Amino acid sequence: MDLVEVTEGGTRFFVSRQDPALPFPPANSPVFYNPRMELNRDATVLLLTVLRPRDYLDAMGASGARGLRVAGEVGIPVTINDRSERAVDLIRHNVEMSGLEIEVTCQDANVLMSGRRFDAVDLDPFGTPAPFVDSAVRSAGNYLFVTATDTAPLCGAHLPAGMRRYFSRPRNTEYHAEVGLRTLLGFVVREVIRYDRGVEPLFCYAHEHFHRLHLRIRNGAAAADRTLARIGYVMQCPTCLYRTEETGMLPAPADCPLCGAGLVAVGPLWTGRINDDQTLAAMQETLPSVKAGTVPRLSRLVSTCRQELDTSSHYDYHVVARSLRVSPASIESVIERLRSLGYRASRAHYSGTALKTDAPLPVLQEVISGG
């Protein structure tokens, strides 16, 4: 295998050489490594520096980049696993070169997680994590981290695949990034509560081609019941921009109060907060001491997540303006105007044109139109 050395954060390791002329070079490498996921790995290192779990499983290690960084930069016991013998050979080479004490295993991830417990379990598959979540839930002591890169099924663009994998009916709306993130979280939650355990979201976000969850697991039926209470739906009007959200296992039929059309249920998905402000504040405080290549982007991400409202959808500022046939003021001006009227309003972390607010749609339309 032709190897090249790369550096992320404070860690050096080897990856298989990629052909940059290919449409997606990582997929054609002997052992997978995606440099575009550096922000994802930086965020995990930062969060683990704050949380300090007893031990950590990188269940699908590939080159071992994530586990190597956690071991070297966070300094907690790490197990890196992959079912590919070729990947495990590379992981062992990287571990040997690093001088770190890391356990390396070569097993099917579901088999490993079904037989062992780890304080923090991290799923970072190529594509959907759905086939691995159940065993990960049983393996995770206090923390469960999940990445999904199959954004089209999660966001409703590939509806049959989304329904098969996540037992939800997402809808390809202008707030599809939010739908995808909350559909993934809703799916993981439904797997967790089956074991009389609950979930507290710590740091969940959508970025480019992936969704990422960082969750704390709470034990007990009461925690499971609190978690179940956050499962619900976004009720979207199919003909106008109106939407609302409701909690519950099944959506109640309802009509749009603005145009009378029957509302379409998007979900089930997670409603409520997706980030813990105390955790994000600690991450912001710790960030200057963490060596990471994406510090400016990571800092903006954490800062925006702290300010973001916990609504389960957003209004696209440009879509609303086009529907009104107006050229609006800046999005910041609209947010400030809504706040001056007594409503909550914020931007969203995944889109520069996303506007979250608890203002009724007619109020938002009046503000955007300059009224």
Side-chain angles (χ1 to χ4, degrees), residues 124-143:
D124 184 27
F126 179 68
T128 178
F132 308 98
V133 172
D134 175 68
S135 58
V137 169
R138 288 184 280 113
S139 182
N142 285 297
Y143 302 103

Side-chain angles (χ1 to χ4, degrees), residues 31 62 80-93 104-107:
V31 177
I80 306 177
N81 176 72
D82 202 283
R83 69 179 182 181
S84 164
E85 292 184 2
R86 200 169 193 180
V88 167
D89 286 343
L90 178 56
I91 294 169
R92 287 181 172 140
H93 174 71
V104 181
T105 59
C106 185
Q107 294 188 55

Side-chain angles (χ1 to χ4, degrees), residues 51-337:
L51 298 178
R52 309 295 306 183
R54 291 188 301 275
D55 56 14
Y56 168 87
L57 170 66
D58 181 359
M60 301 162 180
S63 64
R66 190 182 300 268
L68 285 159
R69 292 195 57 190
V70 171
E73 298 172 45
V74 183
I76 59 176
V78 168
T79 298
I80 306 177
N81 176 72
D82 202 283
R83 69 179 182 181
S84 164
E85 292 184 2
R86 200 169 193 180
V88 167
D89 286 343
L90 178 56
I91 294 169
R92 287 181 172 140
H93 174 71
N94 279 325
V95 169
E96 182 180 349
M97 296 297 294
S98 71
L100 297 167
E101 292 188 9
I102 298 175
E103 179 186 14
V104 181
T105 59
C106 185
Q107 294 188 55
D108 180 280
N110 279 324
V111 173
L112 173 63
M113 292 185 294
S114 294
R116 292 181 58 181
R117 295 270 287 184
F118 300 89
D119 200 34
V121 171
D122 200 326
L123 295 180
D124 184 27
F126 179 68
T128 178
F132 308 98
V133 172
D134 175 68
S135 58
V137 169
R138 288 184 280 113
S139 182
N142 285 297
Y143 302 103
L144 176 61
F145 305 157
V146 181
T147 297
T149 58
D150 59 332
T151 53
L154 279 166
C155 296
H158 294 167
L159 183 58
M163 291 191 294
R164 287 196 311 272
R165 294 172 186 172
Y166 302 103
F167 209 72
S168 178
R169 189 178 180 89
R171 184 178 174 87
N172 193 15
T173 65
E174 70 267 18
Y175 51 91
H176 57 82
E178 187 88 33
V179 167
L181 183 61
R182 291 177 178 274
T183 296
L184 176 63
L185 181 49
F187 170 75
V188 172
V189 158
R190 295 196 301 277
E191 295 290 283
V192 171
I193 61 177
R194 294 190 300 132
Y195 297 99
D196 284 345
R197 307 180 83 191
V199 159
E200 294 178 359
L202 297 177
F203 179 37
C204 304
Y205 63 96
H207 183 73
E208 293 182 348
H209 65 288
F210 69 88
H211 301 292
R212 178 70 168 168
L213 310 178
H214 299 96
L215 312 173
R216 177 183 283 119
I217 306 294
R218 295 296 193 189
N219 293 321
D225 289 341
R226 288 193 300 271
T227 299
L228 177 60
R230 299 315 314 167
I231 293 294
Y233 297 81
V234 174
M235 305 298 291
Q236 174 66 54
C237 179
T239 60
C240 78
L241 295 177
Y242 176 84
R243 79 287 308 264
T244 187
E245 61 184 79
E246 64 175 60
T247 56
M249 293 294 291
L250 295 173
D255 295 330
C256 175
L258 301 183
C259 71
L263 298 180
V264 176
V266 183
L269 43 69
W270 175 265
T271 64
R273 69 173 183 85
I274 58 174
N275 290 299
D276 176 66
D277 188 66
Q278 185 175 354
T279 300
L280 296 187
M283 291 172 66
Q284 280 186 318
E285 184 177 347
T286 306
L287 184 56
S289 65
V290 172
K291 188 173 183 180
T294 65
V295 165
R297 286 190 291 152
L298 186 53
S299 177
R300 288 193 299 271
L301 174 62
V302 174
S303 177
T304 305
C305 285
R306 288 197 70 186
Q307 301 169 29
E308 185 175 322
L309 297 187
D310 57 9
T311 59
S312 299
S313 69
H314 73 258
Y315 293 97
D316 188 289
Y317 169 72
H318 288 166
V319 170
V320 177
R322 281 199 302 269
S323 72
L324 298 170
R325 298 180 181 178
V326 299
S327 297
S330 70
I331 189 170
E332 290 297 341
S333 298
V334 172
I335 289 173
E336 289 304 315
R337 174 61 175 153

Side-chain angles (χ1 to χ4, degrees), residues 12-35:
R12 295 187 304 166
F13 52 91
F14 290 90
V15 302
S16 55
R17 188 179 298 276
Q18 300 178 4
D19 184 352
L22 296 172
F24 184 52
N28 295 278
S29 256
V31 177
F32 189 85
Y33 167 72
N34 188 355

